[in-house]
Amino acid sequence: MQNGLGVPTFGGSGYPLYLLRRMSLLSLTRSNIRLNYLHLKPIMKLSYQPFELELRHRFTIAKFSRTSTPLMLVQVEHEGQIGYGEASMVPYMGESYDTATAFLNKLDMGRIRFPFSFDMITSYLDSIAAGQPAIKAAIDIALHDLDGKLQNKPCWQLLGTEPARMPDTSFTVGIDTPEVLREKIKGGDDCEIIKVKLGRDNDKELINTIRSITGKPLFVDANQGWTDRQKSLEMTHWLHEQGVLLIEQPMAKTDPESNAWLSARSPVPIIGDEAVQRLADVGPAANVYNGINIKLMKSGGTHEAKLMINKARELNLKLMIGCMSETSCATLAAAALAPQCDWADLDGPFLTANNPYKMPQFTDGKWVLNNHAGLGLELAENIH
């Protein structure tokens, strides 16, 4: 077609063909600019280093004993800010420096963009390899720290936490001789609750020793060490008389029937720990336990831990937030969620001898959440 001037036009638009071609070229050029901008946008920088976290005392539970824990310290840098994370790889969970390094080498940081979609990030991390929740937690924690710094907000605020609801945290003592127990308990003078590892033949002796030292309320963790239903029930009644507030994973995680039987009869709340790793475990746990213990090193980090808290509340489960052997970094990440839980066992910095970060503020038996952007982590002089 032609217009009144005899210039070729397209259809009924009235626009000359040459002008439409120029408009198309301009649109294409702008699209290329947008694509090139996205392509050239700086990719976040990932760095990491192995770190052997030394314990103040040999740590013994029902089935394991150790004097240190391998960590992988992680940093993610973007737009002049650095997010810090860590993986605490306790040996019985199956992760190591080798598995963590292999995972991180597969990580494509170009897949992670700010503003973050933590649902997408969690799915991506799970797509790299099954399991390995601790190294996934390290990335997740670092990104939450970075997210807060980029938004200039504390993590606890972004997570909808009310700091005034912070619960007391417990101080854990592993299985040991009466003499060593007395020394260990002195290290927890600032805490208002003592957590005791049980699960062996001398459980009552350990409790009696602790009761000769302190009258503080107790948490008990049997670490799957009890095997007989009736004896376990009798033990729960005796522990109730000793001022025990809760009992973690008394029987094998592979025996939900026995744990459910005990939960229905115990005067003390029975808390699922080893049986509850990630979000998919919360629903089944509601039919077995009175509550669950969430740990970032099991859940794959802060994001899924928050989802687990929400799900547990829907199911009327009690909530405890706990830890592995961890530095101030992972402790603060968990503390940002602790006020959303009923109990806290976040004693990592008290139990370690070479924490590479500064000790967070701890007052009246509780961690104090500050208003600094991100986790609020303060670096020691030897960390860069």
Side-chain angles (χ1 to χ4, degrees), residues 4 11 38 42 62 65 87 95 110 130 138 150 154 157 159-160 187 248 271 275 277 318 323 325 358 364 371 373:
L38 290 172
S65 183
E95 294 185 66
L150 292 172
Q157 182 178 343
L159 292 166
E248 294 179 59
I271 309 300
Q277 304 286 317
K318 290 288 189 178
C323 64
S325 301
K358 291 184 179 179
D364 297 329
N371 291 316

Side-chain angles (χ1 to χ4, degrees), residues 51-200:
F51 184 85
E52 195 71 15
L53 187 64
E54 299 171 2
L55 306 181
R56 293 186 183 276
H57 301 278
R58 174 175 290 277
F59 189 70
T60 301
I61 61 177
K63 299 179 181 180
F64 301 95
S65 183
R66 66 183 189 276
T67 58
S68 66
T69 302
L71 306 187
M72 188 68 84
L73 303 182
V74 170
Q75 298 180 13
V76 179
E77 185 174 356
H78 185 60
E79 296 183 355
Q81 300 289 347
I82 299 176
Y84 295 85
E86 72 176 84
S88 175
M89 300 174 291
V90 292
Y92 56 86
M93 293 292 288
E95 294 185 66
S96 65
Y97 291 135
D98 289 341
T99 62
T101 301
F103 183 92
L104 293 171
N105 285 339
K106 295 176 184 176
L107 188 61
D108 178 7
M109 294 303 293
R111 297 279 299 272
I112 300 174
R113 297 288 183 178
F114 180 80
F116 301 127
S117 167
F118 283 103
D119 281 333
M120 293 180 62
I121 291 169
T122 299
S123 296
Y124 171 56
L125 296 179
D126 282 338
S127 74
I128 295 175
Q132 297 186 244
I135 194 59
K136 293 173 183 177
I139 297 297
D140 171 278
I141 292 169
L143 291 177
H144 273 85
D145 186 29
L146 181 61
D147 189 39
K149 290 172 177 175
L150 292 172
Q151 296 192 58
N152 196 31
K153 294 180 180 179
C155 287
W156 60 260
Q157 182 178 343
L158 295 174
L159 292 166
T161 290
E162 299 179 34
R165 299 175 66 89
M166 179 69 72
D168 288 341
T169 202
S170 60
F171 178 84
T172 305
V173 292
I175 297 171
D176 223 312
T177 64
E179 293 74 19
V180 176
L181 280 177
R182 289 187 177 89
E183 181 181 352
K184 286 181 176 180
I185 289 173
K186 292 179 182 178
D189 284 347
D190 292 334
C191 297
E192 300 302 323
I193 301 171
I194 301 296
K195 177 174 171 178
V196 188
K197 293 289 188 176
L198 299 182
R200 293 187 175 180

